[in-house]
Amino acid sequence: MTSSSQAHTGQTPAPSAEAEALHRALFTLDSHIDIPWPDRGDAFEDTDARRVDLPKMQKGGMSAGCFVAYIAQAKVDAEGHAQAQAQCLAMLDVINGMQGSQNGVTARVCSTVAEIEAAYKSGVLVVIPAVENGYAMGDDPAVLAQFRAKGARYVTLTHNGHNALADAAVHRPSLGDKPENHGGLSALGREAVRHMNHLGLLIDVSHASKKTMLQAVAASAVPVVASHSCVRALCDHPRNLDDEQLDALKASGGVIQITAMPAFLKPRDGEAPRSAGVADFVDHIDYVVRRIGVEHVGISSDFDGGGALADWQNATQGVNLTAELLRRGYDRSEIAAFWGGNFMRLLGQAEAVAEQTGTIG
Protein backbone atom coordinates (compact mmCIF):
# COMPACT_ATOMS: atom_id res chain seq x y z
CA MET A 1 0.00 0.00 0.00
CA THR A 2 1.03 3.60 -0.45
CA SER A 3 2.61 5.75 2.22
CA SER A 4 1.96 9.08 0.54
CA SER A 5 -0.07 10.41 -2.34
CA GLN A 6 1.54 11.63 -5.52
CA ALA A 7 1.28 15.25 -6.54
CA HIS A 8 -1.86 16.14 -8.45
CA THR A 9 -1.03 17.31 -11.96
CA GLY A 10 -4.53 18.20 -13.07
CA GLN A 11 -4.16 15.69 -15.90
CA THR A 12 -5.57 12.17 -15.75
CA PRO A 13 -3.24 9.68 -17.42
CA ALA A 14 -4.91 7.08 -19.60
CA PRO A 15 -5.41 3.85 -17.64
CA SER A 16 -2.65 1.33 -18.23
CA ALA A 17 -3.32 -2.09 -19.69
CA GLU A 18 -2.62 -3.45 -16.20
CA ALA A 19 -5.29 -1.21 -14.69
CA GLU A 20 -7.81 -2.14 -17.38
CA ALA A 21 -7.19 -5.84 -16.84
CA LEU A 22 -7.34 -5.58 -13.07
CA HIS A 23 -10.55 -3.54 -13.11
CA ARG A 24 -12.24 -6.13 -15.33
CA ALA A 25 -11.04 -8.97 -13.09
CA LEU A 26 -12.22 -7.50 -9.79
CA PHE A 27 -15.64 -7.62 -8.14
CA THR A 28 -16.48 -3.91 -8.28
CA LEU A 29 -19.36 -2.60 -6.17
CA ASP A 30 -20.61 0.99 -5.99
CA SER A 31 -22.42 1.34 -2.66
CA HIS A 32 -24.66 4.33 -3.44
CA ILE A 33 -26.49 5.11 -6.69
CA ASP A 34 -29.74 7.06 -6.94
CA ILE A 35 -32.53 6.13 -9.33
CA PRO A 36 -34.52 8.70 -11.33
CA TRP A 37 -37.96 9.44 -9.94
CA PRO A 38 -40.56 9.31 -11.35
CA ASP A 39 -39.29 6.19 -13.07
CA ARG A 40 -38.59 6.49 -16.81
CA GLY A 41 -38.26 2.78 -17.55
CA ASP A 42 -34.75 3.30 -18.96
CA ALA A 43 -32.51 1.19 -16.68
CA PHE A 44 -31.61 -1.11 -19.60
CA GLU A 45 -30.94 1.80 -21.98
CA ASP A 46 -27.63 3.61 -22.41
CA THR A 47 -28.96 7.11 -21.97
CA ASP A 48 -27.32 10.48 -21.38
CA ALA A 49 -30.01 11.14 -18.77
CA ARG A 50 -28.38 8.70 -16.31
CA ARG A 51 -24.81 8.47 -15.02
CA VAL A 52 -25.55 4.85 -14.12
CA ASP A 53 -27.67 2.51 -16.15
CA LEU A 54 -27.10 -1.19 -16.71
CA PRO A 55 -25.39 -0.84 -20.12
CA LYS A 56 -22.94 1.70 -18.65
CA MET A 57 -22.18 -0.68 -15.78
CA GLN A 58 -21.45 -3.48 -18.24
CA LYS A 59 -19.32 -1.26 -20.48
CA GLY A 60 -17.38 0.08 -17.51
CA GLY A 61 -16.65 -3.28 -15.91
CA MET A 62 -18.82 -2.60 -12.86
CA SER A 63 -20.07 -5.75 -11.15
CA ALA A 64 -22.64 -4.46 -8.67
CA GLY A 65 -24.44 -1.38 -7.45
CA CYS A 66 -26.58 -0.45 -4.49
CA PHE A 67 -29.52 1.40 -6.03
CA VAL A 68 -31.32 3.53 -3.47
CA ALA A 69 -34.88 4.58 -2.94
CA TYR A 70 -34.12 8.16 -1.89
CA ILE A 71 -36.85 9.97 0.02
CA ALA A 72 -36.44 13.72 0.52
CA GLN A 73 -37.09 14.96 4.04
CA ALA A 74 -40.44 16.67 4.51
CA LYS A 75 -42.71 17.43 7.45
CA VAL A 76 -42.55 14.92 10.29
CA ASP A 77 -46.21 14.08 10.65
CA ALA A 78 -48.65 11.28 9.76
CA GLU A 79 -49.32 12.61 6.26
CA GLY A 80 -45.64 13.05 5.49
CA HIS A 81 -44.84 9.59 6.81
CA ALA A 82 -47.58 7.96 4.74
CA GLN A 83 -46.42 9.65 1.56
CA ALA A 84 -42.78 8.78 2.23
CA GLN A 85 -43.58 5.14 2.91
CA ALA A 86 -45.71 4.79 -0.23
CA GLN A 87 -43.03 6.40 -2.41
CA CYS A 88 -40.27 4.28 -0.91
CA LEU A 89 -42.13 1.03 -1.53
CA ALA A 90 -42.90 2.12 -5.10
CA MET A 91 -39.23 2.97 -5.70
CA LEU A 92 -38.12 -0.40 -4.30
CA ASP A 93 -40.54 -2.05 -6.74
CA VAL A 94 -38.85 -0.18 -9.59
CA ILE A 95 -35.42 -1.28 -8.39
CA ASN A 96 -36.71 -4.85 -8.21
CA GLY A 97 -37.70 -4.49 -11.85
CA MET A 98 -34.07 -3.86 -12.85
CA GLN A 99 -33.44 -7.49 -13.73
CA GLY A 100 -33.72 -9.88 -16.62
CA SER A 101 -32.13 -9.55 -20.04
CA GLN A 102 -32.55 -6.63 -22.42
CA ASN A 103 -30.34 -4.95 -25.01
CA GLY A 104 -27.55 -7.46 -24.50
CA VAL A 105 -27.40 -6.89 -20.74
CA THR A 106 -28.42 -9.32 -17.99
CA ALA A 107 -28.96 -8.18 -14.41
CA ARG A 108 -30.28 -9.76 -11.24
CA VAL A 109 -31.63 -8.22 -8.04
CA CYS A 110 -29.81 -9.80 -5.10
CA SER A 111 -30.54 -9.50 -1.40
CA THR A 112 -27.99 -11.83 0.21
CA VAL A 113 -24.24 -12.32 -0.04
CA ALA A 114 -24.78 -15.79 -1.50
CA GLU A 115 -27.05 -14.39 -4.22
CA ILE A 116 -24.58 -11.62 -5.02
CA GLU A 117 -21.68 -14.06 -5.30
CA ALA A 118 -23.68 -16.47 -7.46
CA ALA A 119 -24.76 -13.70 -9.84
CA TYR A 120 -21.21 -12.39 -10.14
CA LYS A 121 -19.84 -15.86 -10.89
CA SER A 122 -22.50 -16.19 -13.60
CA GLY A 123 -21.37 -12.94 -15.24
CA VAL A 124 -24.61 -11.21 -14.31
CA LEU A 125 -24.80 -7.58 -13.16
CA VAL A 126 -25.85 -7.29 -9.52
CA VAL A 127 -28.55 -4.86 -8.36
CA ILE A 128 -28.81 -4.39 -4.58
CA PRO A 129 -31.76 -2.35 -3.27
CA ALA A 130 -31.34 0.13 -0.41
CA VAL A 131 -33.27 2.95 1.25
CA GLU A 132 -32.00 6.49 1.82
CA ASN A 133 -33.69 8.28 4.70
CA GLY A 134 -35.33 6.60 7.69
CA TYR A 135 -38.13 9.13 7.20
CA ALA A 136 -39.62 6.49 4.89
CA MET A 137 -40.18 4.29 7.95
CA GLY A 138 -42.24 7.01 9.58
CA ASP A 139 -42.84 6.17 13.21
CA ASP A 140 -43.39 2.43 12.70
CA PRO A 141 -40.29 0.17 12.80
CA ALA A 142 -42.42 -2.71 11.49
CA VAL A 143 -42.27 -0.99 8.08
CA LEU A 144 -38.59 -1.93 7.93
CA ALA A 145 -39.61 -5.55 7.36
CA GLN A 146 -41.41 -4.45 4.18
CA PHE A 147 -38.21 -2.80 2.96
CA ARG A 148 -36.21 -5.94 3.67
CA ALA A 149 -38.83 -8.10 1.95
CA LYS A 150 -38.21 -6.02 -1.18
CA GLY A 151 -34.49 -6.78 -0.96
CA ALA A 152 -33.17 -3.66 0.80
CA ARG A 153 -29.79 -4.13 2.48
CA TYR A 154 -29.31 -0.81 4.25
CA VAL A 155 -31.29 2.16 5.47
CA THR A 156 -29.68 5.60 5.74
CA LEU A 157 -30.91 6.92 9.09
CA THR A 158 -31.44 10.49 7.91
CA HIS A 159 -31.07 12.76 4.93
CA ASN A 160 -30.79 16.56 5.15
CA GLY A 161 -33.15 17.43 7.97
CA HIS A 162 -34.01 15.68 11.22
CA ASN A 163 -36.63 12.96 11.18
CA ALA A 164 -38.39 10.92 13.88
CA LEU A 165 -35.42 8.56 14.21
CA ALA A 166 -32.47 10.88 14.57
CA ASP A 167 -30.73 14.19 14.05
CA ALA A 168 -29.10 14.88 10.71
CA ALA A 169 -25.71 16.47 10.03
CA VAL A 170 -27.54 19.25 8.17
CA HIS A 171 -30.66 20.58 9.88
CA ARG A 172 -33.54 22.25 8.06
CA PRO A 173 -34.95 25.33 9.84
CA SER A 174 -37.50 25.56 7.02
CA LEU A 175 -38.98 22.30 8.34
CA GLY A 176 -38.92 23.53 11.92
CA ASP A 177 -35.64 21.86 12.85
CA LYS A 178 -33.59 23.07 15.76
CA PRO A 179 -29.85 22.42 15.48
CA GLU A 180 -30.69 19.25 17.45
CA ASN A 181 -34.14 17.75 17.90
CA HIS A 182 -33.14 14.54 19.70
CA GLY A 183 -29.53 14.87 20.81
CA GLY A 184 -28.66 12.06 18.39
CA LEU A 185 -30.85 8.98 18.11
CA SER A 186 -34.39 9.20 19.44
CA ALA A 187 -35.94 6.34 21.41
CA LEU A 188 -37.68 5.38 18.15
CA GLY A 189 -34.35 5.49 16.36
CA ARG A 190 -32.82 3.08 18.86
CA GLU A 191 -35.78 0.74 18.36
CA ALA A 192 -35.28 1.01 14.60
CA VAL A 193 -31.61 0.06 14.97
CA ARG A 194 -32.63 -3.09 16.86
CA HIS A 195 -35.14 -3.99 14.17
CA MET A 196 -32.57 -3.40 11.44
CA ASN A 197 -30.12 -5.72 13.22
CA HIS A 198 -32.79 -8.43 13.40
CA LEU A 199 -33.65 -8.00 9.72
CA GLY A 200 -30.13 -7.96 8.29
CA LEU A 201 -30.36 -4.30 7.29
CA LEU A 202 -27.14 -2.33 7.68
CA ILE A 203 -27.38 0.97 9.54
CA ASP A 204 -26.10 3.70 7.22
CA VAL A 205 -24.79 6.78 9.05
CA SER A 206 -24.14 9.01 6.05
CA HIS A 207 -26.10 12.26 6.55
CA ALA A 208 -26.36 11.60 10.32
CA SER A 209 -25.13 14.09 12.89
CA LYS A 210 -21.97 13.22 14.78
CA LYS A 211 -23.95 12.36 17.92
CA THR A 212 -26.33 10.19 15.89
CA MET A 213 -23.45 8.40 14.21
CA LEU A 214 -21.57 7.66 17.44
CA GLN A 215 -24.74 6.53 19.20
CA ALA A 216 -25.64 4.26 16.26
CA VAL A 217 -22.19 2.65 16.45
CA ALA A 218 -22.76 1.94 20.13
CA ALA A 219 -26.36 0.75 19.72
CA SER A 220 -25.92 -1.57 16.74
CA ALA A 221 -24.97 -5.24 17.06
CA VAL A 222 -23.56 -4.98 13.52
CA PRO A 223 -20.83 -2.57 12.40
CA VAL A 224 -22.33 0.47 10.69
CA VAL A 225 -21.57 1.77 7.21
CA ALA A 226 -21.30 5.31 5.93
CA SER A 227 -22.48 4.48 2.41
CA HIS A 228 -21.44 7.81 0.85
CA SER A 229 -19.26 10.09 2.97
CA CYS A 230 -15.77 11.61 3.00
CA VAL A 231 -13.10 12.70 5.48
CA ARG A 232 -13.62 15.90 7.46
CA ALA A 233 -9.91 16.44 8.10
CA LEU A 234 -9.45 16.92 4.34
CA CYS A 235 -12.67 18.82 3.66
CA ASP A 236 -14.50 20.51 6.53
CA HIS A 237 -18.10 19.71 5.62
CA PRO A 238 -20.69 18.62 8.22
CA ARG A 239 -21.53 15.60 6.05
CA ASN A 240 -18.00 14.23 6.45
CA LEU A 241 -16.64 12.06 9.27
CA ASP A 242 -14.01 13.47 11.63
CA ASP A 243 -11.17 11.54 13.24
CA GLU A 244 -13.20 10.58 16.32
CA GLN A 245 -15.88 9.10 14.07
CA LEU A 246 -13.31 7.24 11.98
CA ASP A 247 -11.78 5.82 15.14
CA ALA A 248 -15.24 4.67 16.25
CA LEU A 249 -15.69 2.93 12.90
CA LYS A 250 -12.41 1.09 13.39
CA ALA A 251 -13.25 0.03 16.92
CA SER A 252 -16.59 -1.39 15.81
CA GLY A 253 -15.45 -2.88 12.49
CA GLY A 254 -17.40 -0.43 10.33
CA VAL A 255 -16.66 1.02 6.89
CA ILE A 256 -16.73 4.47 5.27
CA GLN A 257 -17.47 4.43 1.55
CA ILE A 258 -15.76 7.50 0.10
CA THR A 259 -18.03 9.28 -2.39
CA ALA A 260 -17.55 11.23 -5.62
CA MET A 261 -19.08 14.49 -4.43
CA PRO A 262 -16.70 17.41 -5.05
CA ALA A 263 -18.19 19.43 -2.17
CA PHE A 264 -17.18 16.66 0.24
CA LEU A 265 -13.77 15.98 -1.30
CA LYS A 266 -12.10 19.32 -1.73
CA PRO A 267 -12.49 22.80 -0.19
CA ARG A 268 -13.64 25.49 -2.59
CA ASP A 269 -10.81 27.57 -4.07
CA GLY A 270 -12.14 31.10 -3.62
CA GLU A 271 -14.98 31.76 -6.04
CA ALA A 272 -13.82 29.22 -8.61
CA PRO A 273 -16.30 26.52 -9.64
CA ARG A 274 -15.98 23.53 -7.34
CA SER A 275 -14.35 20.52 -8.98
CA ALA A 276 -12.47 17.38 -7.97
CA GLY A 277 -10.99 14.29 -9.57
CA VAL A 278 -10.06 10.72 -8.76
CA ALA A 279 -6.76 11.90 -7.27
CA ASP A 280 -8.70 13.93 -4.69
CA PHE A 281 -10.97 10.92 -4.09
CA VAL A 282 -8.00 8.63 -3.44
CA ASP A 283 -6.51 11.21 -1.06
CA HIS A 284 -9.50 10.42 1.19
CA ILE A 285 -8.92 6.67 0.84
CA ASP A 286 -5.25 7.24 1.72
CA TYR A 287 -6.21 9.18 4.83
CA VAL A 288 -8.58 6.49 6.07
CA VAL A 289 -6.04 3.74 5.37
CA ARG A 290 -3.35 5.55 7.30
CA ARG A 291 -5.61 6.29 10.25
CA ILE A 292 -7.74 3.14 10.64
CA GLY A 293 -6.68 0.60 8.01
CA VAL A 294 -7.45 -0.86 4.59
CA GLU A 295 -10.39 -2.89 5.87
CA HIS A 296 -12.44 0.17 6.83
CA VAL A 297 -12.83 2.05 3.55
CA GLY A 298 -14.69 1.51 0.29
CA ILE A 299 -16.02 3.26 -2.81
CA SER A 300 -19.28 4.94 -3.75
CA SER A 301 -20.24 7.40 -6.47
CA ASP A 302 -23.55 9.00 -5.46
CA PHE A 303 -24.14 9.06 -9.21
CA ASP A 304 -27.54 10.40 -10.23
CA GLY A 305 -27.72 11.96 -6.76
CA GLY A 306 -25.19 14.72 -7.42
CA GLY A 307 -21.93 12.80 -7.50
CA ALA A 308 -19.50 13.19 -10.42
CA LEU A 309 -15.79 13.89 -10.82
CA ALA A 310 -13.88 15.41 -13.70
CA ASP A 311 -12.47 11.98 -14.57
CA TRP A 312 -15.22 9.75 -13.12
CA GLN A 313 -18.33 11.11 -14.79
CA ASN A 314 -20.35 7.92 -15.02
CA ALA A 315 -20.23 4.16 -14.56
CA THR A 316 -18.07 3.65 -17.65
CA GLN A 317 -15.07 5.38 -16.05
CA GLY A 318 -14.50 3.44 -12.84
CA VAL A 319 -11.23 2.13 -14.28
CA ASN A 320 -9.74 5.59 -13.71
CA LEU A 321 -10.14 5.05 -9.99
CA THR A 322 -8.54 1.61 -10.18
CA ALA A 323 -5.67 3.12 -12.15
CA GLU A 324 -5.12 5.83 -9.53
CA LEU A 325 -5.12 3.26 -6.74
CA LEU A 326 -2.46 1.28 -8.61
CA ARG A 327 -0.39 4.44 -9.11
CA ARG A 328 -0.52 5.05 -5.35
CA GLY A 329 0.98 1.60 -4.73
CA TYR A 330 -2.03 -0.37 -3.54
CA ASP A 331 -1.95 -4.07 -4.41
CA ARG A 332 -4.67 -6.24 -5.87
CA SER A 333 -6.01 -7.45 -2.51
CA GLU A 334 -6.25 -3.91 -1.15
CA ILE A 335 -7.99 -2.59 -4.28
CA ALA A 336 -10.39 -5.55 -4.14
CA ALA A 337 -11.20 -4.66 -0.52
CA PHE A 338 -11.98 -1.05 -1.49
CA TRP A 339 -14.05 -2.01 -4.53
CA GLY A 340 -16.46 -4.24 -2.64
CA GLY A 341 -14.74 -6.67 -0.29
CA ASN A 342 -15.13 -4.52 2.80
CA PHE A 343 -18.77 -3.71 2.08
CA MET A 344 -19.55 -7.38 1.41
CA ARG A 345 -17.99 -8.29 4.75
CA LEU A 346 -20.50 -6.01 6.50
CA LEU A 347 -23.40 -7.53 4.56
CA GLY A 348 -22.26 -10.96 5.72
CA GLN A 349 -22.02 -9.80 9.33
CA ALA A 350 -25.52 -8.34 9.14
CA GLU A 351 -26.86 -11.64 7.84
CA ALA A 352 -25.12 -13.58 10.60
CA VAL A 353 -26.65 -11.40 13.34
CA ALA A 354 -30.09 -11.64 11.71
CA GLU A 355 -29.82 -15.44 11.63
CA GLN A 356 -28.88 -15.52 15.33
CA THR A 357 -31.65 -13.20 16.49
CA GLY A 358 -34.49 -14.11 14.14
CA THR A 359 -36.38 -11.91 11.73
CA ILE A 360 -38.98 -9.41 12.88
CA GLY A 361 -41.97 -9.65 10.56
Side-chain angles (χ1 to χ4, degrees), residues 22-101:
L22 176 60
H23 188 74
R24 294 281 170 181
L26 292 175
F27 173 76
T28 48
L29 181 152
D30 179 344
S31 67
H32 198 86
I33 304 162
D34 283 63
I35 64 166
W37 194 257
D39 179 51
R40 300 190 298 257
D42 59 358
F44 280 87
E45 299 174 17
D46 187 349
T47 169
D48 291 340
R50 296 178 75 145
R51 295 187 187 275
V52 182
D53 49 47
L54 297 171
K56 287 187 182 70
M57 287 181 68
Q58 180 169 278
K59 182 179 179 181
M62 290 300 302
S63 309
C66 293
F67 288 84
V68 300
Y70 157 63
I71 305 299
Q73 186 61 43
K75 195 170 181 181
V76 180
D77 60 14
E79 182 181 1
H81 288 162
Q83 291 175 352
Q85 179 184 342
Q87 180 180 327
C88 185
L89 293 171
M91 294 178 84
L92 288 171
D93 285 341
V94 167
I95 294 167
N96 273 272
M98 293 172 58
Q99 59 184 327
S101 296

Side-chain angles (χ1 to χ4, degrees), residues 64 119 308 319 342:
V319 65
N342 291 336

Side-chain angles (χ1 to χ4, degrees), residues 27 37 87 93 141 145 150 163 241 245 267 283 329 331:
F27 173 76
W37 194 257
Q87 180 180 327
D93 285 341
K150 292 181 183 291
N163 58 32
L241 303 191
Q245 291 171 288
D283 283 349
D331 64 27

Side-chain angles (χ1 to χ4, degrees), residues 34-288:
D34 283 63
I35 64 166
W37 194 257
D39 179 51
R40 300 190 298 257
D42 59 358
F44 280 87
E45 299 174 17
D46 187 349
T47 169
D48 291 340
R50 296 178 75 145
R51 295 187 187 275
V52 182
D53 49 47
L54 297 171
K56 287 187 182 70
M57 287 181 68
Q58 180 169 278
K59 182 179 179 181
M62 290 300 302
S63 309
C66 293
F67 288 84
V68 300
Y70 157 63
I71 305 299
Q73 186 61 43
K75 195 170 181 181
V76 180
D77 60 14
E79 182 181 1
H81 288 162
Q83 291 175 352
Q85 179 184 342
Q87 180 180 327
C88 185
L89 293 171
M91 294 178 84
L92 288 171
D93 285 341
V94 167
I95 294 167
N96 273 272
M98 293 172 58
Q99 59 184 327
S101 296
Q102 295 181 44
N103 299 331
V105 179
T106 300
R108 187 181 305 161
V109 174
C110 299
S111 65
T112 67
V113 168
E115 290 174 0
I116 293 166
E117 291 175 343
Y120 175 62
K121 288 176 183 176
S122 299
V124 174
L125 294 178
V126 175
V127 172
I128 304 167
V131 173
E132 184 173 19
N133 198 355
Y135 179 56
M137 185 203 87
D139 58 4
D140 183 5
V143 173
L144 294 167
Q146 297 181 54
F147 299 162
R148 184 69 187 96
K150 292 181 183 291
R153 289 312 315 265
Y154 68 73
V155 175
T156 315
L157 290 174
T158 69
H159 194 256
N160 295 333
H162 310 322
N163 58 32
L165 281 68
D167 292 333
V170 177
H171 72 292
R172 299 274 300 281
S174 63
L175 294 175
D177 288 353
K178 302 172 184 176
E180 290 186 349
N181 282 4
H182 308 290
L185 284 173
S186 68
L188 178 67
R190 292 178 184 277
E191 185 180 356
V193 167
R194 290 192 294 271
H195 274 64
M196 289 167 67
N197 286 166
H198 288 309
L199 291 164
L201 285 163
L202 288 174
I203 288 88
D204 176 17
V205 296
S206 287
H207 285 284
S209 73
K210 180 175 179 176
K211 286 184 180 179
T212 295
M213 181 269 178
L214 293 174
Q215 290 170 16
V217 169
S220 178
V222 178
V224 306
V225 66
S227 73
H228 58 305
S229 294
C230 296
V231 173
R232 193 151 189 177
L234 299 183
C235 185
D236 188 12
H237 192 290
R239 273 278 282 105
N240 289 343
L241 303 191
D242 67 18
D243 286 352
E244 183 182 1
Q245 291 171 288
L246 293 177
D247 293 345
L249 275 185
K250 178 179 182 177
S252 68
V255 177
I256 177 174
Q257 302 282 117
I258 304 301
T259 200
M261 185 74 75
F264 304 160
L265 288 169
K266 192 175 177 182
R268 185 186 294 276
D269 183 12
E271 297 302 315
R274 195 186 294 274
S275 65
V278 294
D280 302 297
F281 188 105
V282 178
D283 283 349
H284 286 246
I285 290 179
D286 283 348
Y287 187 96
V288 178

Side-chain angles (χ1 to χ4, degrees), residues 305-319:
L309 303 178
D311 42 5
W312 191 24
Q313 286 282 311
N314 58 48
T316 69
Q317 296 181 315
V319 65

